[in-house]
Amino acid sequence: MMQLNETTIYSNILLGLDKDLDITKTEYDNAVSRYEAVGKWLAGNGSMLAPYKPDIYPQGSFLLGTLIRPINEETHIDIDLVCRLRGKKDSWTQEDLKTIVGDRLKSHRNYKNMLDKEGRRCWTLQYADSAQFHLDILPSLVDKDYDILLENSKKSIDTSRIETPAIRITDRETWNYSSETVPERWPKTNPFGFARWFKSRESLLQGRRSLLEKSIHPVPEYREKKSVLVRVVQILKRHRDILFANDPDKPTSIILTTLAAKAYEGEQDIYSALMNIISRMTLFIEIKYDNSRNKDLKWVENPVNPEENFANRWSEKNDKQ
């Protein structure tokens, strides 16, 4: 009888975690139906947002496929969504846009009771405990040349050389939150570009079009079989949830995902990938001097926006460093 080597044995054990890590197809479909309903309401008749053709599409782990099921009954699935508008009134500031999205949600007979207190960037809908998930809705505007960049990005499989479309978002902690009406001076982010970059790290883009090609906002299909990189990210997130339990300052999913994807070198089995990624992750935490704060900061660079530091809050939370 052929003996299995240590790597194969451990990889098989890690592969067996899929039922503990993944949400079910039913849970996935329930989340999709609720997310689509929110989008219809925001764009419905009578909405102040309707003239600007709002739609909702996923970002973060829901889009990347790295979502993990709750570790216990007290924790919920966090589904990140973007409410994208194709324009605004000239007088609208970040605060105005954020308020109008919130007011539209409050005008729904059910959503008004589910709406959590206003977050820094998002509005959150808390669903019943039995559903065990909530939706974080990020108000945003499409950036300049969005449609052109989107079309170009669909045609290219070389994500390292294609500029991808970005969005402008609301952030209560920016100094011009209540005053600036020019969107180009609002905070900028690029969830679509990040997703394309992550997919390229999975090596899923080679020789075929991106699964994001379907106009961004439809959710990706439910996948039972996950890539090695996706599974490693899920394992790291589960380890984080166990190790830090109820710690509000636990490492964020975007940092774990970014560091893992940067450290991944195409390993074909989960155990080798996990061990090698863990050993290399710290290589991608840089130290940069911040003139405004007059000190060195730890820096985890957004791969599609070098100006954005995913670890920007580490300087405020010393226990994270």
Side-chain angles (χ1 to χ4, degrees):
M1 180 180 294
M2 182 179 68
Q3 288 188 329
L4 298 177
N5 61 38
E6 184 180 78
T7 297
T8 302
I9 292 172
Y10 287 134
S11 288
N12 288 338
I13 293 173
L14 293 173
L15 279 170
L17 295 176
D18 57 350
K19 292 182 179 179
D20 292 324
L21 293 173
D22 292 333
I23 64 173
T24 66
K25 180 66 163 55
T26 298
E27 290 171 326
Y28 191 89
D29 290 343
N30 286 339
V32 170
S33 66
R34 287 166 171 79
Y35 130 55
E36 291 178 339
V38 171
K40 290 179 180 178
W41 177 251
L42 290 173
N45 293 332
S47 171
M48 290 184 64
L49 303 169
Y52 309 105
K53 300 178 181 179
D55 57 8
I56 289 233
Y57 63 94
Q59 64 169 335
S61 58
F62 198 55
L63 179 59
L64 302 179
T66 57
L67 196 68
I68 58 174
R69 69 179 305 105
I71 195 170
N72 53 48
E73 293 182 356
E74 284 72 43
T75 56
H76 283 196
I77 301 169
D78 181 4
I79 298 177
D80 295 315
L81 304 172
V82 173
C83 173
R84 180 187 64 184
L85 277 68
R86 293 185 170 276
K88 69 175 185 67
K89 286 186 177 182
D90 291 342
S91 61
W92 286 2
T93 63
Q94 294 179 54
E95 183 177 27
D96 291 327
L97 176 58
K98 181 89 168 294
T99 299
I100 291 166
V101 171
D103 287 346
R104 178 60 179 172
L105 292 171
K106 293 173 185 176
S107 67
H108 189 282
R109 61 181 181 182
N110 294 326
Y111 297 155
K112 67 179 180 180
N113 297 320
M114 298 161 54
L115 202 62
D116 203 350
K117 63 181 181 180
E118 181 183 355
R120 172 183 170 181
R121 295 179 173 181
C122 301
W123 291 103
T124 299
L125 289 177
Q126 298 278 4
Y127 286 79
D129 291 342
S130 59
Q132 275 196 279
F133 74 87
H134 61 262
L135 304 180
D136 288 333
I137 303 164
L138 175 68
S140 73
L141 299 173
V142 297
D143 203 9
K144 187 173 70 171
D145 297 329
Y146 185 92
D147 291 321
I148 295 174
L149 295 175
L150 175 58
E151 189 60 31
N152 290 340
S153 69
K154 288 179 181 180
K155 295 176 181 177
S156 174
I157 61 173
D158 185 357
T159 58
S160 66
R161 302 184 63 182
I162 188 71
E163 188 178 359
T164 51
I167 56 175
R168 298 289 173 168
I169 62 173
T170 67
D171 186 336
R172 284 194 311 180
E173 295 187 9
T174 55
W175 67 272
N176 60 356
Y177 176 70
S178 301
S179 59
E180 183 57 68
T181 61
V182 179
E184 286 74 22
R185 297 171 187 161
W186 295 10
K188 179 180 179 180
T189 190
N190 194 345
F192 176 68
F194 184 89
R196 280 188 60 85
W197 170 80
F198 183 83
K199 294 301 176 184
S200 74
R201 299 299 297 164
E202 282 187 274
S203 297
L204 293 181
L205 291 180
Q206 189 64 39
R208 75 175 200 179
R209 291 179 181 270
S210 167
L211 57 79
L212 301 176
E213 183 178 338
K214 298 179 181 178
S215 71
I216 302 184
H217 57 75
V219 292
E221 294 181 357
Y222 179 81
R223 289 189 294 163
E224 292 186 357
K225 186 176 181 180
K226 303 291 180 68
S227 71
V228 170
L229 177 56
V230 166
R231 196 59 84 190
V232 168
V233 171
Q234 288 182 306
I235 292 170
L236 292 174
K237 290 168 67 174
R238 171 62 83 231
H239 176 264
R240 180 268 316 270
D241 290 345
I242 294 174
L243 183 62
F244 291 93
N246 297 319
D247 186 350
D249 295 324
K250 64 185 179 182
T252 62
S253 293
I254 190 63
I255 288 179
L256 291 178
T257 302
T258 301
L259 293 178
K262 287 184 175 183
Y264 181 58
E265 293 188 345
E267 294 87 355
Q268 296 302 300
D269 67 89
I270 294 178
Y271 178 69
S272 296
L274 179 62
M275 293 298 100
N276 291 337
I277 284 173
I278 289 173
S279 69
R280 293 194 294 264
M281 288 174 75
T282 55
L283 298 176
F284 301 95
I285 301 176
E286 304 173 75
I287 302 294
K288 292 189 177 184
Y289 184 77
D290 188 309
N291 289 318
S292 64
R293 302 184 187 185
N294 196 31
K295 64 177 180 179
D296 289 331
L297 299 180
K298 290 189 176 180
W299 194 282
V300 178
E301 182 179 290
N302 179 343
V304 296
N305 182 11
E307 297 178 4
E308 183 174 6
N309 177 21
F310 286 144
N312 64 333
R313 287 181 174 267
W314 284 4
S315 61
E316 303 167 10
K317 301 289 184 179
N318 292 328
D319 53 335
K320 281 188 176 182
Q321 302 190 48

